[in-house]
Amino acid sequence: IPFGFYLFLKTENYIVGWIATLLTGLMVLYAVYTKSLAAWVSISVEAIVFISILIYLVKTGKYQFKIKSRLYALVLTFTGFLLLINIDSGGFNLKFGGLSDQVTSVQEFVQSKSSSGVDVVRSDAAVKGQSSIEWRWSVWLNSMAMIKDNPLIGVGAGNYKIEYPLYNHKVVRDTKFNLESQLDRAHNDYIQAAAEFGITGFVIALWAVVCFYYILFCLFKSDLSDLPGKKLLLAAALMSAGTGMLFNAGFSFPFQRAIPPFIVMLIFAIACVMHAQKIKTSHTSIIDTRLLYAVTFVFTLLFFYIGHYHYTMIKADKYFGRTIRCYNNGNWPQLLNEADKALSYNAGRKRVLFYKGFASNELGKIKESIQYYEELIQYFPNYINGLLNLGIAYGKVGENAKAVETFKKIIVLMPDEGGYYSDAGHYLTKLGKLDQAYTYLKKGAELEKENAIILLNFGVLCMQMKKYSEARKVLKKVAELEPDWDQPKQYLKYIKEQT
């Protein structure tokens, strides 16, 4: 978007000015329709930076703008923009692309924070309806706890998604963290960089940002003899675009995508070339052609290696996609075949082992399923879905002790889910460890007060341990929740006879 405005101000061609104006307006319009608050704020920051630099260039006499010939294009684009952001499937309205809803969500977030005092941890009811802002806030706070535990070197590159499950409830409960959805990114590249690389790596990354701004500020301070006005205008676009991307990284994860890092490197490279043009530089000539041939040969080999590597990654993605399709369609034999092909092209794609374990379980090959899940957990020790299926598989083959240990790991990750306490208690009961089973089943019943099955299991255990008073209370609750069930009535009758 900043480069669109740069072209609009730079060009002396009437037609190019019109095209640049209209296309830039469409890009802004697209950002409105995405309804992304992070994008809106980033674009607003870009606009503030760009306009501020323009004012500086005009006041210092470093550039004069000629927009009179394109003023009609600017007015038409702005009018069309205002019209289109107030049109949706319901026709014309004055919602301005949902701006008021976004502002309301920000106000609610700020009010909830200002009224929460020093106690950051809130109840389930308080966080159940987390907005996008509140959810990000909870993720960032939990991630800061991760940084606090690993301050110098972090948890390692790419390990954020492996370690975050241990922190999903550390400070504020992440309500979007569940069996189906586990966070891979912090939605803040700076926090994630600090978490993965520690403060040391974060400072190194921050230094690159400082260098970027230093070079651009040097350009703006240069004389017109060193750098003409239109190149200073390009520098303004560079700073505006770079600032927008860097600001967006505080709310999203642009630097973990393919294109944004390339764009930022390109912006930085252009700025460096402009900076080099206005200072004296020395050049070194390479006259040894044999060295050039050797370098060319090495880079040619590297090119073929990289080409082959990415080809295998694409093939792995292809078969991984087919694996997921078979999983959704319940085609278990074909799933195993596609998963094997995915691993043959990329042995590091370990998440495919989850699908192999699930398919093997569905085909009745429980021991094979356990092998796949165990290998998966070696690489992703906090993968809840994998742990859950592994625990269930252990139970099917009678390895109750391993099942208990597996569900204990899940409890560490999700301490507010009573079902996992109940599962651990169930297998402890099978091991004859009734006292330990009582502790877990009681906790499960306290967390799931309306779950008749969990309450029934706890009530039966209390009855086995001759805790008749507690068993009676729990089983009465089960009878109220499920009046058609015969079991709680029979157990209550038995307790009455015993007492």
Side-chain angles (χ1 to χ4, degrees):
I1 293 174
F3 287 101
F5 284 113
Y6 158 71
L7 183 60
F8 167 75
L9 294 172
K10 169 185 176 293
T11 185
E12 296 179 359
N13 187 300
Y14 183 77
I15 297 176
V16 173
W18 268 85
I19 294 174
T21 308
L22 293 173
L23 293 181
T24 305
L26 288 175
M27 286 191 286
V28 178
L29 181 66
Y30 168 77
V32 172
Y33 273 108
T34 61
K35 297 187 183 300
S36 170
L37 181 58
W40 293 4
V41 175
S42 299
I43 292 173
S44 300
V45 170
E46 287 183 354
I48 292 171
V49 171
F50 196 69
I51 292 172
S52 299
I53 297 174
L54 292 183
I55 293 173
Y56 168 77
L57 293 179
V58 171
K59 284 191 173 183
T60 55
K62 293 184 177 181
Y63 191 71
Q64 300 293 326
F65 306 106
K66 298 178 181 179
I67 62 171
K68 185 176 181 180
S69 61
R70 294 182 293 280
L71 186 61
Y72 292 113
L74 189 63
V75 172
L76 180 62
T77 300
F78 185 71
T79 303
F81 170 77
L82 289 178
L83 177 65
L84 289 173
I85 64 173
N86 287 293
I87 295 177
D88 57 21
S89 58
F92 185 80
N93 55 64
L94 287 175
K95 295 182 178 179
F96 294 95
L99 178 62
S100 59
D101 296 335
Q102 296 284 13
V103 172
T104 301
S105 68
V106 174
Q107 289 175 339
E108 291 175 351
F109 170 74
V110 173
Q111 289 171 358
S112 66
K113 289 300 167 189
S114 62
S115 62
S116 62
V118 296
D119 187 9
V120 181
V121 180
R122 293 178 289 167
S123 65
D124 292 351
V127 298
K128 187 176 181 181
Q130 276 186 323
S131 68
S132 176
I133 302 175
E134 287 180 307
W135 171 72
R136 279 176 168 81
W137 184 249
S138 68
V139 170
W140 298 343
L141 289 175
N142 294 332
S143 300
M144 292 300 290
M146 188 190 302
I147 297 169
K148 184 179 178 181
D149 291 344
N150 307 274
L152 293 179
I153 59 175
V155 297
N159 286 342
Y160 178 86
K161 61 185 177 184
I162 296 176
E163 296 296 326
Y164 180 76
L166 292 170
Y167 293 87
N168 77 87
H169 57 277
K170 195 76 171 182
V171 181
V172 177
R173 184 185 175 191
D174 176 359
T175 56
K176 292 187 179 183
F177 184 88
N178 53 49
L179 199 62
E180 293 78 22
S181 175
Q182 297 184 44
L183 195 68
D184 284 342
R185 303 176 178 90
H187 285 258
N188 184 314
D189 277 343
Y190 304 108
I191 289 178
Q192 184 157 342
E196 293 190 352
F197 303 108
I199 302 301
T200 305
F202 174 75
V203 170
I204 293 173
L206 188 62
W207 182 246
V209 176
V210 172
C211 291
F212 171 73
Y213 282 104
Y214 173 77
I215 288 175
L216 287 171
F217 278 120
C218 287
L219 291 176
F220 293 130
K221 289 183 178 180
S222 61
D223 296 328
L224 286 176
S225 58
D226 294 328
L227 210 63
K230 289 188 176 181
K231 283 199 173 182
L232 287 175
L233 186 61
L234 175 58
L238 293 173
M239 178 174 280
S240 179
T243 301
M245 195 81 73
L246 294 169
F247 190 85
N248 184 260
F251 299 92
S252 190
F253 42 92
F255 292 107
Q256 297 174 61
R257 299 294 193 184
I259 296 178
F262 173 76
I263 293 175
V264 172
M265 285 189 289
L266 187 61
I267 289 172
F268 201 178
I270 296 172
C272 289
V273 170
M274 293 170 64
H275 184 261
Q277 288 177 344
K278 76 180 195 67
I279 60 177
K280 294 181 179 179
T281 57
S282 59
H283 303 278
T284 302
S285 300
I286 300 176
I287 58 176
D288 189 346
T289 56
R290 291 175 298 178
L291 176 61
L292 292 177
Y293 286 134
V295 171
T296 302
F297 177 74
V298 171
F299 274 98
T300 301
L301 292 178
L302 181 62
F303 171 78
F304 281 113
Y305 167 76
I306 292 175
H308 174 72
Y309 171 79
H310 284 288
Y311 171 77
T312 57
M313 294 300 103
I314 292 171
K315 295 288 285 186
D317 287 344
K318 171 185 175 181
Y319 289 111
F320 187 80
R322 289 183 176 181
T323 299
I324 296 176
R325 191 180 308 132
C326 291
Y327 173 78
N328 293 331
N329 295 333
N331 189 348
W332 312 123
Q334 183 65 22
L335 184 152
L336 292 172
N337 183 45
E338 301 292 350
D340 286 336
K341 290 180 180 178
L343 287 172
S344 68
Y345 282 103
N346 183 3
R349 201 70 179 270
K350 298 300 181 181
R351 287 235 172 147
V352 77
L353 292 169
F354 170 81
Y355 300 99
K356 293 191 72 174
F358 194 93
S360 298
N361 179 78
E362 293 297 309
L363 293 171
K365 302 176 182 179
I366 308 302
K367 290 187 177 180
E368 287 186 18
S369 174
I370 290 175
Q371 291 176 355
Y372 292 133
Y373 284 130
E374 286 178 340
E375 186 179 353
L376 172 71
I377 297 306
Q378 287 180 0
Y379 291 92
F380 299 98
N382 303 315
Y383 186 28
I384 296 178
N385 219 342
L387 287 168
L388 176 61
N389 284 277
L390 178 60
I392 294 172
Y394 279 142
K396 288 183 178 180
V397 297
E399 296 190 34
N400 298 318
K402 289 185 177 180
V404 170
E405 293 305 314
T406 303
F407 280 105
K408 283 182 178 180
K409 291 178 181 178
I410 299 176
I411 289 170
V412 172
L413 302 175
M414 303 191 72
D416 298 326
E417 297 292 334
Y420 303 126
Y421 289 92
S422 180
D423 290 329
H426 170 72
Y427 291 110
L428 282 166
T429 303
K430 288 191 172 186
L431 290 170
K433 300 180 179 180
L434 300 186
D435 290 336
Q436 293 183 37
Y438 173 80
T439 301
Y440 280 94
L441 283 169
K442 183 177 182 179
K443 182 65 175 179
E446 290 173 351
L447 292 171
E448 302 286 346
K449 296 179 180 179
E450 302 299 319
N451 190 311
I453 295 177
I454 292 177
L455 292 174
L456 179 62
N457 291 335
F458 179 53
V460 171
L461 178 64
C462 290
M463 193 172 62
Q464 290 176 336
M465 298 178 70
K466 301 187 184 304
K467 297 177 181 287
Y468 293 125
S469 176
E470 192 169 8
R472 184 185 299 109
K473 180 180 178 181
V474 174
L475 292 171
K476 281 184 178 180
K477 178 66 174 178
V478 175
E480 292 175 4
L481 293 172
E482 298 292 342
D484 296 331
W485 285 9
D486 291 330
Q487 279 183 306
K489 297 174 184 177
Q490 293 173 0
Y491 289 140
L492 286 169
K493 183 178 179 181
Y494 173 80
I495 292 172
K496 186 175 181 180
E497 293 173 352
Q498 296 298 314
T499 57

